[in-house]
Structure formats: C-alpha cells, structure tokens
Amino acid sequence: MRSSTDVVTAARDVLESSWLADGGFCPPNANVYPHQWLWDSCFHAIAWNALGDKRGLTELTSCFKAQLPNGFVPHMRYLQPNHARGPSSSRSSYLQPPIFAHAAAVIARSGTRVPDHLLDRIEAALAWLWQNRRGEDGLLFIVHPWESGADDSPRWDDWIDLPTYDRQRYREVDVRLKEATTFDADAIATWSTEFVAAPAAFNAFAAHAALEYAALRDDETWAARGRELAAVMDAELWDDAQGLWADRAVVGGGPSAAIPTLDGVFGALVTDDESRAVRALDQLADPQRFGTDQGLSFLPPSHPRFEADQYWRGPAWPQLNYMAYVAARRWSAAPLADRIAAVSQTAAVASGFAEYWDPLTGNGLGAIPQGWAALAAVYAAP
Ligand code: GLC
C-alpha cells in the first residue's frame, strides 16, 4: 500500500476533479453519472470531512436542494432535464438510503458545527420516510430496486425473473418496474403493483439515521423510533440459519430476498443483540463468506449467483465497506474494523479509485474514478 499521505492526496484529487462549485457537490463520475445522487453525496461529504475540508458540509447541504416542502428527498437531482426516473424532469421520484444523518453526525463529531437549518431538513426527510414508507409490520418499504442503492442485487432476482444475470435485460426490467410504480400528485413514488420490499439494509440504515439524528439533537423521540425500528428488524428479518438479516418481499418477489449478500450484515449497525451482531460481523472476516482477499465481497464466492466482475453480483463496494467498518467499530471489533480499513484502502488505490472492484483480485470495475472511493481517506486519517 502507498503511504497514508498518498492515499489522502489521491482521494482529494478524485473529489476535486469532479467538484461543481456552483452546485456545491460532486457528480459520482462526470461521464458515467453526470447528475447528483443522494447517498453518493452523503459519502462524499464524509470523505471531504476526513480530508479536513469544509466542502463536507457544503455537499451535505446540497443534498437538500431538491427536498420537497413535505420533506421528501429524491435519490437524484438532474443537471439537465431528464425523465428516466419518474414523471418529474428535474429530479427522481424515488429515494435512496438515508445516509445524511450519519454524515451530519460524522461532521459534527469532527468539531464542525452543523447548522440548525440543515438538521431541520434532515428531520423532515426522516419524518417523511416514517410517515409514508412504513408498512403494517412496522418496517420501511421501498418500491423499486433503485431505492435500495443495490440496484441489481441477487435479492431482487425473483422479481426480475431472468434465467441468468444480464445487465442490459435488467435495465429493461427496471423500466417495466418504473411503469408499475404509483406516483402521487408531487411525482413521488408511493407504491408499486409489482415490486415492494422491506430490505434489511435499508431498514438498518434508516434506524441508524434515526439514532444518529437523535444523538445530534439529544432527541428522545427519534432515539425511540430508531430503537423501535431496529427491534422490528430483529423480530421480522433475522434469518437464524444464515446468521444474517434477510429482506422481506411485500409485493411480488420470493425466496431470493434471503440470498446471502453483504446487505444482510448491516443490522449490526443498530441491533441490541450482541450475539446476532457478532454472528453477522464474523462473516466479514471469513474468506468463504464476505471476507475475501480484496473484499468485502457482495456475495460469498461459492454462491451460484456470484460473479466477481458483474456490478451488484459479487464485487466489493467502497461505500458498503465503509458502513461495515462503522458497524464493526460499534461492536469494538477493532481487528475486524482494521482489516476492512486496510483492504478498502489498498483496493481503492490499486483499482484507481473505482466505483467497485473484483473482490478476489482487486481489479477496478465500473466508473473510474468514482467519488465514493475517496472514502479511503477515512481510514488514512490520523
Ligand atoms: C448505481 C448504484 C447506486 C449509485 C449510483 C451512482 O446506480 O447502484 O447505488 O448511487 O450508481 O453512483
């Protein structure tokens, strides 16, 4: 591995090279992803912050430019008019995992004051989620795979119904699922006749967001909501046979919702059950599960759906490695967190700061460079 100084310099270059001063954010990759993506910008904010750069707060604030008066924050804000993700031509009708509260907490913990107006925006976004996306079982649901952030995860395969993974065909099914979406008068996705799921990772990230927000404002209401969602997730989604949290199919789908993916580990961010957290996290160190040499692998390499170089079918993702690192640190699993940090940093550099990489060889895949690969700076920070 290069020295920490080199990693920091390279991470800074990645963000600097795509920074849009007028917009106050980085598109994930100017050519491949030329718009603003919500969770990418939250991870960029965390990376900027690790670099000691105030643009962390600027980029986090920019995530709320497209927030609606009712609190909804879209998963994309378009830089040019577009209709690819719902009826609005300025922004997506869907959402993405709410990493913004964690990003705000990281920035605040590093000593930068997060202004009240931004915290108010974050609360409104969480309140929208709780009011509009909670099912009768108490879990939060999503209405399109895009909303999970893990667009082509094998957990969606029973909805997609393709004999083998084919990215182009998957794109076509995504469009069909968009047609199956119900949008409200504000062009917000509310339901789907074909795809509704309560994913373990989305629920874990949301419960974590509630707890992070609660800590920022010493807010007992949100602390209770975060604990409650974590408890529902434990009661409804824990898969004891695999030692992971499974997703729930609400409309459509089937057993693929329990395929072992890295998404099944993030319950460790919020569960109160130490034995479950440890069982899930142990799999991050196991080379037969997610702890491959250049991991974290999104699927165990022996799984029949594993494909080392195909998008969401096996490669390692820097933003998920980072969230796994946060989960490992929560349980004081220092050797595990250190291992995730080391492997993430090495692979980020070796892959040219790739969007994702082969979890066996470290070969860079997808867009290169990609903004969230700059999270490598987190591990290099003194
Ligand atoms: C892909 C990913 C999604 C990400 C986007 C921009 O669509 O699946 O999680 O936000 O690219 O990087």
Side-chain angles (χ1 to χ4, degrees):
M1 203 206 307
R2 290 196 241 165
S3 75
S4 288
T5 323
D6 287 346
V7 175
V8 165
T9 306
R12 181 182 294 282
D13 285 351
V14 169
L15 293 181
E16 287 279 7
S17 65
S18 69
W19 176 251
L20 298 178
D22 289 350
F25 73 97
C26 300
N29 173 291
N31 300 318
V32 183
Y33 298 110
H35 300 284
Q36 181 168 29
W37 267 262
L38 176 58
W39 78 329
D40 296 69
S41 273
C42 295
F43 289 115
H44 300 164
I46 293 166
W48 279 124
N49 188 66
L51 293 165
D53 196 308
K54 298 288 181 228
R55 279 175 282 188
L57 193 53
T58 310
E59 180 137 7
L60 182 59
T61 306
S62 76
C63 291
F64 295 88
K65 284 189 179 172
Q67 185 173 38
L68 299 193
N70 66 9
F72 172 80
V73 184
H75 106 279
M76 288 173 69
R77 193 162 66 86
Y78 307 141
L79 296 196
Q80 304 85 33
N82 195 311
H83 279 284
R85 286 166 174 82
S88 163
S89 62
S90 63
R91 47 121 182 126
S92 165
S93 292
Y94 297 95
L95 45 77
Q96 251 187 345
I99 305 296
F100 34 75
H102 172 63
V106 167
I107 291 171
R109 284 197 286 265
S110 75
T112 299
R113 205 182 79 77
V114 178
D116 277 334
H117 66 80
L118 182 53
L119 293 173
D120 291 346
R121 297 280 196 136
I122 290 173
E123 181 179 19
L126 293 175
W128 185 90
L129 259 182
W130 256 253
Q131 279 155 21
N132 295 281
R133 289 298 189 88
R134 281 190 93 199
E136 282 174 10
D137 55 11
L139 291 166
L140 297 174
F141 62 83
I142 63 170
V143 301
H144 194 289
W146 293 326
E147 297 199 313
S148 69
D151 300 29
D152 293 17
S153 167
R155 287 193 168 187
W156 316 136
D157 281 6
D158 284 342
W159 279 275
I160 305 297
D161 203 20
L162 297 177
T164 52
Y165 178 66
D166 172 334
R167 192 162 174 187
Q168 187 46 42
R169 300 255 335 264
Y170 217 106
R171 293 281 80 86
E172 287 157 24
V173 180
D174 278 343
V175 171
R176 195 191 79 219
L177 293 181
K178 188 179 75 174
E179 327 270 80
T181 307
T182 314
F183 302 99
D184 71 9
D186 292 320
I188 299 173
T190 53
W191 192 249
S192 165
T193 51
E194 280 195 51
F195 180 102
V196 180
F202 189 93
N203 277 276
F205 294 148
H208 187 237
L211 295 169
E212 290 282 57
Y213 174 78
L216 278 164
R217 280 205 153 153
D218 202 11
D219 181 322
E220 187 40 45
T221 304
W222 279 104
R225 286 178 187 156
R227 285 194 302 268
E228 187 197 357
L229 183 56
V232 176
M233 189 198 71
D234 265 338
E236 302 288 329
L237 301 181
W238 176 249
D239 176 347
D240 202 50
Q242 301 198 84
L244 294 172
W245 287 269
D247 295 2
R248 168 166 292 172
V250 180
V251 173
S256 68
I259 286 178
T261 66
L262 188 60
D263 272 356
V265 171
F266 295 110
L269 284 166
V270 290
T271 183
D272 274 346
D273 186 327
E274 180 164 7
S275 68
R276 288 181 179 182
V278 169
R279 274 190 74 196
L281 289 172
D282 276 353
Q283 298 178 53
L284 303 182
D286 179 354
Q288 306 300 320
R289 299 295 282 173
F290 309 108
T292 52
D293 270 4
Q294 306 294 325
L296 303 171
S297 183
F298 192 65
L299 258 84
S302 59
H303 194 278
R305 312 238 169 144
F306 173 83
E307 292 180 70
D309 58 355
Q310 290 293 319
Y311 201 43
W312 285 101
R313 315 299 294 191
W317 291 80
Q319 82 286 12
L320 296 187
N321 279 23
Y322 168 77
M323 294 308 288
Y325 168 82
V326 173
R329 282 169 53 112
R330 175 175 183 234
W331 292 100
S332 310
L336 175 62
D338 290 351
R339 182 182 178 279
I340 296 170
V343 89
S344 306
Q345 208 181 124
T346 306
V349 172
S351 70
F353 285 76
E355 180 185 1
Y356 51 98
W357 60 81
D358 183 319
L360 306 177
T361 65
N363 188 35
L365 299 163
I368 301 176
Q370 176 89 345
W372 59 27
L375 285 166
V378 170
Y379 318 117

